[in-house]
Amino acid sequence: AQSVAQPEDQVNVAEGNPLTVKCTYSVSGNPYLFWYVQYPNRGLQFLLKYITGDNLVKGSYGFEAEFNKSQTSFHLKKPSALVSDSALYFCAANSGYALNFGKGTSLLVTP
Amino acid sequence: EAGVVQSPRYKIIEKKQPVAFWCNPISGHNTLYWYRQNLGQGPELLIRYENEEAVDDSQLPKDRFSAERLKGVDSTLKIQPAELGDSAVYLCASIRAGITDTQYFGPGTRLTVL
């Protein structure tokens, strides 16, 4: 079965510093991996996805993610964090036509 | 293009009452999903539709939950009767067709069962 782990419940970073939100996966076959962001009382907003090809995926709002097959990881990164990036971030892997989500990581960016 | 629309946004009911949620997917999206998101957790699939056919409802608690997607567009998810443990956010998502397509989510319905 496909599964996703987000080992950190919360990540704190100062504005302007780089941020990383970690995700590891366990899938059979080729993984299709996604990152979503959720703001309070909002649905999930798509940030980026890895299907195949270049291991570095660029997405919305300056976010990027690096696919590492040997470490089965798909960490989300941003070179310079903004206070407005504070939100809940979910990593997901395909399970057939549905998605298996991690439990989420709360990102807090302080001024 | 308009996004996934859900209503109501919030619903508060007494236990044992029925409740229904409505979803209108993005135009042209043939595949529709209902997910449930418990507090502090990621969304979990309840049911997936391909057009009007429920192709994966293995996680849907069929004793109290039902869903339909008449004409392959809008969908309704119903709970009857609701229990305290059903309090959660119910999310609808849609994709056009392919397995690698991005799922686009609606804002969700936050259900509180008292």
Side-chain angles (χ1 to χ4, degrees), chain B:
Chain B
E1 121 183 302
V4 177
V5 179
Q6 290 188 247
S7 69
R9 291 294 313 278
Y10 304 91
K11 189 74 176 178
I12 300 174
I13 60 172
E14 300 281 337
K15 63 181 180 182
K16 301 185 182 180
Q17 294 299 306
V19 65
F21 316 124
W22 175 81
C23 172
N24 180 250
I26 293 173
S27 178
H29 281 199
N30 300 320
T31 302
L32 182 146
Y33 304 80
W34 283 103
Y35 287 86
R36 177 168 60 187
Q37 184 178 18
N38 293 313
L39 187 64
Q41 301 295 321
E44 295 178 329
L45 179 70
L46 289 173
I47 189 168
R48 173 170 69 95
Y49 279 93
E50 294 286 348
N51 299 303
E52 65 274 8
E53 181 181 2
V55 294
D56 183 358
D57 62 356
S58 57
Q59 301 303 311
L60 189 72
K62 299 181 183 62
D63 56 335
R64 298 183 298 107
F65 286 66
S66 64
E68 61 182 11
R69 192 184 183 196
L70 301 177
K71 301 181 181 179
V73 181
D74 295 1
S75 178
T76 301
L77 178 68
K78 299 178 181 179
I79 308 175
Q80 181 171 10
E83 297 179 351
L84 295 177
D86 296 331
S87 294
V89 176
Y90 291 83
L91 294 163
C92 180
S94 69
I95 64 171
R96 188 169 297 276
I99 194 171
T100 60
D101 284 2
T102 298
Q103 290 189 27
Y104 292 97
F105 285 80
T109 297
R110 180 177 297 275
L111 173 67
T112 301
V113 182
L114 302 176

Side-chain angles (χ1 to χ4, degrees), chain A residues 13-88:
Chain A
V13 63
E15 187 175 31
N17 284 357
L19 69 86
T20 298
V21 182
K22 296 180 180 177
C23 172
T24 59
Y25 64 89
S26 174
V27 303
S28 55
N30 294 321
Y32 305 138
L33 301 166
F34 300 77
W35 275 101
Y36 286 83
V37 61
Q38 187 174 38
Y39 296 97
N41 299 315
R42 303 281 296 276
L44 276 71
Q45 296 179 29
F46 170 72
L47 285 177
L48 50 82
K49 66 181 178 183
Y50 172 82
I51 303 301
T52 187
D54 194 347
N55 290 341
L56 185 63
V57 180
K58 294 187 180 299
S60 305
Y61 313 119
F63 284 93
E64 59 189 26
E66 186 170 9
F67 172 70
N68 189 316
K69 187 173 183 178
S70 62
Q71 297 184 6
T72 63
S73 66
F74 189 55
H75 300 333
L76 181 70
K77 299 181 179 182
K78 187 174 183 180
S80 179
L82 300 173
V83 172
S84 58
D85 292 330
S86 298
L88 194 55

